[in-house]
Amino acid sequence: MITNDAHRQTVEIPGPWTHRTVAANGAQFHAAEMGHGPLVLLLHGFPEFWWAWRHQLPALAAAGWRAVALDLRGAGGSDKTPRGYDAFTFAADITGAIRSLGERRAVLVGHGWGAYGAWTAAAMRPAHVDALAVLSMPHPLILRRHLLKGRLRHSGSLAWVQTPMAPERRLVADDGAHVETLLRRWSAPGSAFPDDEASRHYRAAMQLWPAPHCALEYQRWLFRSLFRGDGRRFAKRVQDPLTMPVLQVHGAQDSNVDIDLAAASRTMVGGEYHWLSLESAGHFPHEEAPAAVTDALLDWLVKQRARHDQL
């Protein structure tokens, strides 16, 4: 059994950031925070937790932003509730965290499933989102249409997680060895990521039961919703093109999410849009090419700061 002290040691990794708890949407969320200024809320993907943004947190803070890396519901130090992994709750978690952090609006930066939530929050609750940067994930409606065409087996991790409990057991077996396998498999060939430190932290965080089950429930909801009324309601809620600025970053060697599928998201953006493909990166560009991603974010955020100051 993992004790509370062991839990904190796994999640609250020391660094220049401050660890805190944020109450939002009926749950408690762990976050790491740095800096002062307009809020940038960073949302991690699978199979990671807040520490995925360790490279970007100090740079954003130094540039005059309040950077907060949030553990998603069910991950890291956040509450691991039995329910609440549908897209509607996901969006409410994100915007609730913004309000609990004392802000009305924020720039959202998301990777993978964190980007799925960011896209959704921006579509459903645009009043709370100043701008949106997404890595390694197409717009939810683009992904839904892709899956409805029967392309589940070509959709990375979605196919293998649909069976009950077997994927959870695989994620925790051998001290989380499969977590490291996924990180390596989805990174670009020859990538230095994950190094030993990253593998150790991500494997340990996945051992915080029921973190594996919670992480997979986001993906299971997406698949189940294809055939249910809540999925049709969701599609209707996110069908209008976004009006806020969007930066989309994708690794050209991403074997988990096809680059052409991601690029099709351009049709769901009615406002300012920027696309960046990183030739040397796979599914984890913020970790495989952290300097390039950080520089791109900072350049893009200069424009967002000007917009924020005018509001």
Side-chain angles (χ1 to χ4, degrees):
M1 180 178 179
I2 297 175
T3 66
N4 287 336
D5 285 343
H7 193 117
R8 284 193 294 271
Q9 290 173 11
T10 298
V11 173
E12 296 183 9
I13 301 169
W17 38 73
T18 298
H19 294 278
R20 61 176 298 175
T21 300
V22 178
N25 198 30
Q28 299 287 320
F29 295 83
H30 168 264
E33 179 175 0
M34 284 189 74
H36 303 278
L39 177 61
V40 176
L41 188 62
L42 300 142
L43 307 165
H44 66 86
F46 173 82
E48 301 183 315
F49 64 113
W50 76 265
W51 191 72
W53 300 109
R54 64 196 177 282
H55 301 293
Q56 287 74 38
L57 281 168
L60 291 170
W65 296 87
R66 181 187 180 192
V68 178
L70 190 74
D71 277 332
L72 304 185
R73 181 186 294 261
S78 294
D79 281 353
K80 297 167 180 61
T81 58
R83 290 173 296 278
Y85 304 97
D86 59 278
F88 301 93
T89 304
F90 202 174
D93 285 350
I94 293 168
T95 56
I98 293 170
R99 294 193 299 272
S100 291
L101 288 164
E103 302 291 344
R104 187 173 67 88
R105 304 169 65 87
V107 175
L108 298 182
V109 180
H111 166 256
W113 286 97
Y116 186 92
W119 279 117
T120 302
M124 289 186 173
R125 301 176 176 225
H128 297 290
V129 182
D130 275 330
L132 176 67
V134 288
L135 288 71
S136 311
M137 178 61 70
H139 185 281
L141 194 58
I142 297 296
L143 182 57
R144 175 180 168 83
R145 290 169 178 168
H146 173 78
L147 296 175
L148 284 170
K149 292 177 181 177
R151 295 173 179 169
L152 178 64
R153 91 178 54 171
H154 302 294
S155 300
S157 63
L158 272 178
W160 75 276
V161 306
Q162 299 309 318
T163 56
M165 291 312 297
E168 283 91 335
R169 289 193 293 269
R170 192 175 184 187
L171 284 171
V172 299
D174 299 323
D175 195 30
H178 191 61
V179 171
E180 181 174 343
T181 297
L182 292 176
L183 295 172
R184 296 190 185 283
R185 180 183 300 164
W186 295 341
S187 297
S191 173
F193 175 80
D195 58 17
D196 290 343
E197 182 185 27
S199 294
R200 182 174 70 253
H201 285 307
Y202 292 130
R203 290 172 67 165
M206 195 61 74
Q207 300 294 311
L208 301 174
W209 188 263
H213 178 69
C214 299
L216 299 178
E217 282 295 280
Y218 288 102
Q219 303 178 48
R220 287 170 174 154
W221 178 86
L222 172 59
F223 178 72
R224 293 192 298 262
S225 72
L226 296 175
F227 315 105
R228 302 190 313 201
D230 56 344
R232 291 187 290 274
R233 289 192 298 273
F234 171 69
K236 188 174 182 179
R237 288 286 302 276
V238 300
Q239 69 181 351
D240 294 331
L242 300 180
T243 58
M244 72 282 292
V246 173
L247 169 66
Q248 190 170 8
V249 180
H250 206 84
Q253 300 187 61
D254 189 340
S255 60
N256 187 41
V257 178
D258 184 79
I259 191 169
D260 291 334
L261 180 64
S265 303
R266 175 67 182 90
T267 62
M268 298 306 302
V269 180
E272 177 188 323
Y273 177 81
H274 297 277
W275 166 267
L276 174 62
S277 174
L278 295 175
E279 294 302 317
S280 63
H283 186 63
F284 306 96
H286 56 311
E287 302 221 61
E288 297 176 65
V293 169
T294 300
D295 288 347
L297 276 175
L298 292 176
D299 289 346
W300 177 73
L301 284 168
V302 168
K303 299 177 183 178
Q304 311 321 315
R305 171 65 70 86
R307 292 182 63 256
H308 182 276
D309 291 344
Q310 293 172 2
L311 294 177

